[in-house]
Amino acid sequence: MSADAGTGPRFCREAQAQLPFLVSGELTGWGARVVRAHVRRCDRCGPQLARQEQLASAFTSMRAAPPAPPPGLLDDLLSRAHGGKLRERAAVPARGALSGARPAMSVAFLTVGAAASTGVGYAAYRGARWALAKRRR
Amino acid sequence: MDVDPALVRACQRGEAGALEALIRATYADVYALCRRMLADPDEAADATQEVFVRVMRSVLGFRGESAFGTWLHRVTVNVCLTALRKRSKARAAGMVAGGTPFALPGDDVDVATTTASPADLAETADLVARSEAALAQLPEDARAVVVLRDIEGLSTKEVAELLGVTETVVKVRLPRAHGRLRTMLLGPQPDEVRA
């Protein structure tokens, strides 16, 4: 925004473009002061600020009165939630009931455990065979 | 969309009734957002169904890094944007019957004079009804900005992120959309400078 005389159609256009942000409080500091000062003494932009405030009031009323959902929508949503696969998916616990681990962690623990068990078993087998061979000699 | 985190955790544990409670607590807000973004009750109902299908598929993976309400909000907006994109493609392909349900840039729609309100209607209800009608007349991209920022209360930055545009684009679209709304709701203003 130019900091010239603060008059003229161009300045009015820039000031009016800032009105939504001024009214909502998003425009603060120096910018807000410049726009307010212009609006106070401009015959064109003064009424626009009042209109913007009316629009903001309409938004507030709209927030307080959201459109009501159609009557059958909740039943449809609940029947989908009750039915079939979605329900089963939602019923799977996200974490292990005892360990508290996530499913991916549980799979990782099981894989590492199985590999370690196999390794230990194989080492025991090789050790037993070596011991038997030594005794035969 | 404020949701009790305990309710979300109960859903993730699969507790009986938790999913139903979550739906009951949030579906009206989800529908309202869809209704305003799409400006069509049937499409809004379909979009609400789609939102909860996604929620039921993804709630187990929700880790609580942001509030559940924020996440649900994002899912809802994404579903609406997808629906709007499909609608645009269908319209471009000539698959949508009838006229364009939204005003095109340059159209002059005066809701203040075209919508007759019953005399006994409360002033606020009348204002809301006229505002909703005016909102529905906005082009889709402008309506999305107004709904998310002015009604849902998101910041300009959040709106830009959700819509996949820059903050500058939001700052340009918003005054234009407000100008159209002011004209539709309050009548034309001769001294108004078009943004």
Side-chain angles (χ1 to χ4, degrees):
Chain A
M1 184 175 297
S2 61
D4 56 8
T7 55
R10 186 174 173 204
F11 199 94
C12 289
R13 184 164 56 245
E14 292 185 10
Q16 289 186 21
Q18 295 299 321
L19 291 182
F21 307 101
L22 181 72
V23 171
S24 69
E26 200 167 329
L27 182 68
T28 56
W30 181 81
R33 282 198 297 277
V34 169
V35 173
R36 278 193 195 285
H38 169 79
V39 166
R40 260 199 302 273
R41 62 175 183 267
C42 178
D43 293 339
R44 282 180 293 197
C45 296
Q48 293 305 324
L49 177 60
R51 284 159 62 84
Q52 181 63 36
E53 285 168 345
Q54 283 180 274
L55 185 62
S57 169
F59 290 141
T60 304
S61 300
M62 289 172 80
R63 271 197 294 275
L73 181 60
L74 179 60
D75 291 338
D76 288 347
L77 293 170
L78 293 180
S79 66
R80 289 190 85 149
H82 279 296
K85 292 179 181 175
L86 291 176
R87 178 69 186 165
E88 288 162 22
R89 290 177 69 109
V92 175
R95 288 166 179 263
L98 295 177
S99 66
R102 295 178 186 280
M105 290 290 283
S106 301
V107 171
F109 281 134
L110 284 172
T111 305
V112 170
S117 304
T118 304
V120 169
Y122 183 70
Y125 166 73
R126 291 297 299 264
R129 283 195 64 172
W130 179 80
L132 280 173
K134 191 178 178 186
R135 190 176 292 174
R136 279 182 196 146
R137 276 190 229 130
Chain B
M1 296 183 193
D2 294 327
V3 182
D4 183 1
L7 182 58
V8 179
R9 285 195 294 273
C11 275
Q12 291 177 321
R13 287 193 299 270
E15 286 183 14
L19 191 56
E20 289 83 347
L22 183 73
I23 292 171
R24 283 180 191 279
T26 55
Y27 90 103
D29 288 341
V30 169
Y31 174 79
L33 178 53
C34 293
R35 176 80 174 76
R36 283 170 170 153
M37 287 278 287
L38 299 172
D40 181 285
D42 294 334
E43 281 191 61
D46 289 344
T48 306
Q49 298 261 10
E50 174 62 23
V51 167
F52 282 101
V53 167
R54 291 193 191 186
V55 166
M56 286 184 273
R57 281 182 187 155
S58 309
V59 71
L60 299 183
F62 176 72
R63 298 187 176 189
E65 286 155 359
S66 61
F68 182 81
T70 306
W71 180 76
L72 180 59
H73 203 277
R74 188 174 287 268
V75 171
T76 306
V77 171
N78 285 337
V79 167
C80 289
L81 292 176
T82 302
L84 288 173
R85 276 193 286 270
K86 280 183 188 170
R87 186 196 284 173
S88 298
K89 281 183 185 172
R91 194 182 295 157
M95 290 158 60
V96 177
T100 307
F102 306 102
L104 296 170
D107 289 356
D108 285 320
V109 181
D110 189 356
V111 176
T113 56
T114 57
T115 305
S117 58
D120 58 344
L121 201 62
E123 192 177 338
T124 304
D126 179 52
L127 174 65
V128 170
R130 288 192 299 117
S131 303
E132 295 283 0
L135 184 66
Q137 298 289 341
L138 286 179
E140 288 158 359
D141 52 356
R143 190 170 62 240
V145 170
V146 172
V147 168
L148 293 175
R149 188 186 173 282
D150 297 313
I151 300 176
E152 296 295 321
L154 302 185
S155 68
T156 302
K157 185 181 177 188
E158 289 170 323
V159 173
E161 283 174 1
L162 272 174
L163 298 180
V165 296
T166 62
E167 284 187 58
T168 306
V169 169
V170 175
K171 286 179 179 175
V172 169
R173 283 182 190 172
L174 191 77
R176 287 181 183 165
H178 280 201
R180 294 172 68 92
L181 286 173
R182 286 196 302 264
T183 302
M184 285 191 274
L185 286 171
L186 308 169
Q189 166 63 254
D191 290 331
E192 185 163 5
V193 178
R194 295 240 171 202

